[in-house]
Every structure is written in C-alpha cells, then in structure tokens.
Amino acid sequence: VSSAAPREGWVTMFTGLVPGRRLLPIAIGVIGIISATPSMAQAAASDSLASACEALKSVDFTTVQDAATQVIATRAVAATGEVPAHCRVEGYVAPNVGFVLRLPGPSEWNGKFSHMAPGGYGGSAEVMAPWCDDALRRGYACITQNTGHVGELTDATWAYNNLQAEFDYGIRAANVATLAGKAITQRFYSAPPKYSYFMGCSGGGKQALVQAQRYPWNFDGVIAVEPSNTTVTGVVQLWNALATHDAAGKPLFGAKDLQLLHDAAIARCDLLDGLEDGIIGGDPRRCEADPGVLACRAGETSGCLTPVQVEAARKVYSGPVTSTGRKLYFPATPGGEMGSYITGGRTGIDYKRQYWQYMGFTPDPGPSWKPTDFDFDHDWKRQYMMDAILVGSDNPDLRKLRAEGHKLMIVQGWEDSGLPGPRVTSDYYEMVERILGGRQQTQESVRLFMVPGRSHCRGGVGAAAIDMLSYMEAWVEQGQAPDMIIGAHVEGDNMADFLRLPKDLASAKFT
C-alpha cells in the first residue's frame, strides 16, 4: 500500500502494511538449535567480559576533550533472550549529564556505536533501555543519557532559573555524552567505532536535529522521529488544553466525543489518497475538518456535539491566535483527535503548566503561574528569550551535514496525537530544500518520510512499526538511499515494538 506524496516528488514514499493487506511470503527454512550448558569457551568469554568491564572503573576519562567524564559503576550483564551479554557502564559528564553505556562482548560487537535519546524533558538514562536492547540485539554499543538532570519525562522543576541545566537539556547533553561514550567504547574494544548512529523520538527527535545541525561530524546517520519543537508545541498544547476545558478546568470532551470527531475527520478525508482504508493518506493538510456537521439538532443528546464542543473543536483545528485573530503557529492536523495531547493528556488543563512555570520564560515565573495567566498577545514572544537554548533544532541550514557526507532521516506520523508536529516537520523540510538548493540536492543527505496513520512515537491506526535503523545502515554503509520505507501495523504501547517489523513480516516479500 503506497501513499502518494503530498506534492509530487516532495516526500519519499512510505509503504505500509495494515491488517487485511496481502503479502507474498518467502519460504523460510528454520534451523533448530539445541541449548546446552555453557561451554568452557563461553565461560571464558563471560569471565573476560566481566574482567574488561571491571577494568573500566580504573581508567581516567576526565581528560576526554570537552567532556570531563567519570565512570561510577560497571557490571557484566548476562544474556537474556535476544539481548547478548554486555558490560553496563554508568557514569556522568561534568557537571550533571548522566549516562548508561552498554557494550556487548568483543565477539558480539558489530563495530558500531549508537545513541538513543530520551524524549519529553529527559531526566533518566534508563527510559531508553528498550531502544538500547534493540541496538544490542543488532550488535551495537549503545549509550543513553539523562539530558543533564534527574527527573521524570514530564517533570520540569529542575529547570527553575537553572540556565546550566537548560543549556544541557537543549544543546549540550547529547553531544558530551557522545564524546564520553565513544571514548569508553574505543578503550573497551581497543578500536574506534566504524559507524555511529543517533536516534530519538519527540524530545529525542529534537536532539537528533540538534546533532544534525550543530554536531554533524558525530554521527554517520541521524534519525529524527516526530521531532518536537518546544517553542511551537508549548503554545499549541496550552491553547488546546484551554480550548478543551471549561473555566473550572473540567474537560469538555470524553472519549466518545473524541471518537466522534475522529470518525468525522476520517469520513471527510479518507479518500484524499484515493484509497478507502480508514486512514487519512495523501496530505492531511488538505483535509478541512468541520466539527459543525456534528452539532446536535433539536432533541439530540447523544452522538453529536454541543455548541460549546463545536466551538472548542474549531479552536483546536484552527490553532492559536491573538486577540486580533493573528495566527501564531500551525494547528493540529485532522486525524489525530484520539491522541492525548489534544486535550492535555493525563494532566488535563495543567498540561504544559510546568513548562511555562520553570522553562519557557526567563526569569521563570515559578509555581504560582497558572495556564490562564498566559497572554496569547504577548507571551508567545517572551519565550524566544529561551528558544535558542531549549529548542535549538529549527535551523534548516544543513550544509555542514552535507559537507561531512553524513545522512539525516526524518520520520513523522501524520496522526501525531493532536500535536502540530506534522505541519512543523513538513515546513522544516521545505526550508531545508530551499537552503540546500532544491529537492535533488537535498535528498542526497536528507530524506523525510510522512507516515499515514502513525501517532506520536508509537501507535496509531496506520503502519507505524518501521525498522528505521536498517534503512539508515543501508544508506550510509551501502549507498542505498531509501526511496521508500516499509512499515507494519502493530497493537500495543511498547515503543520497542515500533522499531522493527514483526518477525513474521521481516523476511516477507511485499507487493
């Protein structure tokens, strides 16, 4: 199933596999392997791994240029399932960039280094462990980092008038963790990585763009998935939360109401790509959803929207404006109505409260600030004091990346949970084309894939499971630029399941 490009030749092709589509399977011979007790060679290899892992604690890494590094703990981890035995290294780059580096045994190492970046506000090097497990399965050395502070993905209190932490989060942490990780990797294997790759989604996707723009020499290939733009999403998500709650903070929409909105958007725009499949394909920006068609008629009390709900939905679809009607940023794209971000997710009207309390302004207003305090005439301008530090990812000048001969793949779901991401990402790519001299020149080093029905980092009604890393490897190592990528629809909420095709599809031939 192929989606037509929004504009002919504008975006490389995405091919998706959803329930009910035909596959032509390749006959696969299965070789049975009988497990036995570990051999002496295996035991020796395990002892060698543990010894080499322990030895890293006595190495002085404080001399790593621009990244004074301290290893604080190491331990050998036994193999589990598809994840090989590996050395787990915990450390930090001064002052507060914590990291965890996982190093497979020398016989398991594929000679490559990967960096899996956390999303949200970061705060933990462990949140990306499932992504590192996938990298370890492939033989990679894999590092994750905490973006320069300790906290939860939705916690922003660490940023309260803390410019060092904000600088680490926005620009520095991923870079210095990379410098530290590569130094430790080279010491462990007595050889530098032959290839290096960076990958992240949402806030991690933002970090990926920062790598491509500011540090393009660090990685042969960078994969930015649903990259967030804090400056834009901070305003749009706050606008959505205020629009979809009443004055007392009570939500105006229940799950059935959102499903009603979503079904109406699908019914109106499903055929944009000429295929009736329950997914808005083609270019959903051309979809003009009209919640007014769902307005309750006289006597109706269910299966319709009240006048207040209709007006709220229109505000979300149109995006934030000033008191004079000036449009500020891109609105949500039809098709993402079921995403939690459209109504503020778990925290409702308080969604993004901490961003504005502790990150968005300087000086930060602090805990007394309320969502209703935001002035859409002026406060969107005030946040640009912090834009260069917190965002740092919207510069379309990728000439340094091209000069390095390195590659950037951007993957963006069209059904991005009610976020403005699809429009922000497509606009960014179009600006890159202008800077790099046109489409042909751009696609030598930068390619964008817009995925119908994919939500934010995982999920959605479309074919959201994609083995992006394999496509990047083929592009970098074999010169096979991806003209299309193949995805499959999977159920569940496990982010790791969306990093590769299901096993029963991974070796199939597609038509």
Side-chain angles (χ1 to χ4, degrees):
V1 186
S2 299
S3 68
R7 227 173 31 197
E8 185 176 356
W10 173 67
V11 141
T12 35
M13 184 179 295
F14 171 81
T15 296
L17 302 173
V18 294
R21 303 297 179 202
R22 293 187 58 204
L23 303 179
L24 297 181
I26 294 175
I28 304 173
V30 180
I31 301 175
I33 300 177
I34 300 175
S35 298
T37 56
S39 65
M40 292 180 64
Q42 289 173 315
S46 177
D47 291 342
S48 176
L49 175 65
S51 176
C53 190
E54 177 70 18
L56 289 175
K57 286 194 296 185
S58 62
V59 179
D60 181 9
F61 291 106
T62 60
T63 58
V64 176
Q65 191 172 46
D66 300 326
T69 301
Q70 179 67 51
V71 171
I72 58 178
T74 66
R75 63 182 172 90
V77 180
T80 55
E82 296 181 299
V83 179
H86 58 278
C87 172
R88 182 185 185 279
V89 182
E90 184 178 353
Y92 70 92
V93 178
N96 293 309
V97 179
F99 64 83
V100 173
L101 173 64
R102 295 167 174 85
L103 301 160
S107 63
E108 301 287 344
W109 187 43
N110 63 8
K112 305 176 190 179
F113 176 85
S114 64
H115 187 147
M116 301 297 179
Y121 298 142
S124 170
E126 293 295 344
V127 70
M128 298 306 290
W131 283 38
C132 263
D133 285 347
D134 181 71
L136 285 167
R137 177 185 64 82
R138 302 169 190 254
Y140 277 85
C142 182
I143 196 168
T144 62
Q145 39 82 25
N146 68 357
T147 67
H149 63 273
V150 176
E152 299 291 333
L153 289 179
T154 57
D155 167 35
T157 53
W158 54 268
Y160 195 9
N161 290 326
N162 187 344
L163 283 175
Q164 175 65 56
E166 290 168 327
F167 176 61
D168 285 344
Y169 167 77
I171 295 173
R172 177 176 176 267
N175 179 56
V176 296
T178 295
L179 300 177
K182 286 187 176 181
I184 297 171
T185 298
Q186 181 167 347
R187 179 63 181 244
F188 187 76
Y189 297 113
S190 299
K194 186 175 182 180
Y195 295 105
S196 298
Y197 298 97
F198 189 100
M199 185 173 176
C201 186
S202 191
K206 177 187 78 70
Q207 294 175 60
L209 292 183
V210 170
Q211 288 297 309
Q213 295 161 12
R214 292 175 177 265
Y215 313 105
W217 37 82
N218 279 350
F219 295 95
D220 301 279
V222 175
I223 305 171
V225 188
E226 277 92 49
S228 69
N229 180 305
T230 312
T231 300
V232 176
T233 58
V235 175
V236 174
Q237 290 175 331
L238 179 62
W239 172 269
N240 289 351
L242 290 169
T244 57
H245 292 77
D246 65 18
K250 182 179 178 180
L252 299 175
F253 295 90
K256 291 183 178 179
D257 301 317
L258 294 175
Q259 186 68 58
L260 194 65
L261 275 170
H262 180 71
D263 291 345
I266 296 296
R268 185 177 181 88
C269 304
D270 190 355
L271 290 174
L272 281 176
D273 59 352
L275 181 66
E276 187 174 2
D277 57 359
I279 300 172
I280 300 178
D283 185 354
R285 294 175 303 175
R286 293 163 45 208
C287 177
E288 297 181 1
D290 179 16
V293 301
L294 300 173
C296 294
R297 297 181 178 86
E300 285 186 318
T301 58
S302 63
C304 60
L305 300 181
T306 66
V308 172
Q309 289 175 318
V310 168
E311 180 60 23
R314 283 177 172 157
K315 284 184 177 180
V316 171
Y317 283 134
S318 63
V321 297
T322 66
S323 60
T324 61
R326 175 183 176 181
K327 289 184 177 295
L328 298 181
Y329 299 113
F330 299 106
T333 304
E337 294 80 9
M338 299 303 295
S340 62
Y341 295 111
I342 203 165
T343 57
R346 293 174 299 172
T347 54
I349 197 171
D350 284 335
Y351 192 74
K352 285 293 179 182
R353 176 194 287 259
Q354 285 200 358
Y355 171 74
W356 295 109
Q357 287 174 329
Y358 306 120
M359 293 178 71
F361 301 120
T362 183
D364 295 315
S368 63
W369 186 93
K370 305 182 298 299
T372 51
D373 291 339
F374 192 86
D375 182 346
F376 285 92
D377 285 339
H378 301 102
D379 286 351
W380 65 275
K381 302 173 187 176
R382 293 176 58 213
Q383 69 170 330
Y384 281 93
M385 290 278 283
M386 295 301 297
D387 176 77
I389 295 177
L390 294 177
V391 182
S393 64
D394 57 356
N395 182 359
D397 186 353
L398 295 176
R399 288 176 293 179
K400 291 195 293 291
L401 178 79
R402 181 172 60 186
E404 292 294 325
H406 293 171
K407 312 300 182 185
L408 169 64
M409 176 190 295
I410 307 173
V411 178
Q412 173 67 58
W414 274 122
E415 189 185 290
D416 196 0
S417 303
L419 293 172
R423 298 176 191 264
V424 174
T425 298
S426 58
D427 178 73
Y428 174 76
Y429 176 78
E430 289 171 352
M431 290 299 296
V432 171
E433 280 194 347
R434 297 178 190 178
I435 296 293
L436 295 188
R439 184 169 304 120
Q440 182 176 349
Q441 294 90 331
T442 298
Q443 294 208 341
E444 292 176 2
S445 52
V446 183
R447 299 211 168 192
L448 167 66
F449 297 89
M450 304 295 291
V451 185
R454 177 182 161 96
S455 190
H456 194 66
C457 297
R458 58 188 179 273
V461 297
I466 307 164
D467 187 355
M468 293 170 260
L469 185 53
S470 289
Y471 285 108
M472 180 58 81
E473 288 176 320
W475 191 6
V476 168
E477 299 169 28
Q478 302 168 33
Q480 298 175 1
D483 292 323
M484 71 174 185
I485 59 177
I486 294 173
H489 178 79
V490 297
E491 298 291 342
D493 196 45
N494 184 352
M495 285 182 65
D497 290 340
F498 293 88
L499 297 177
R500 50 178 170 159
L501 291 173
K503 290 182 179 180
D504 57 342
L505 301 180
S507 299
K509 181 183 292 184
F510 307 108
T511 58

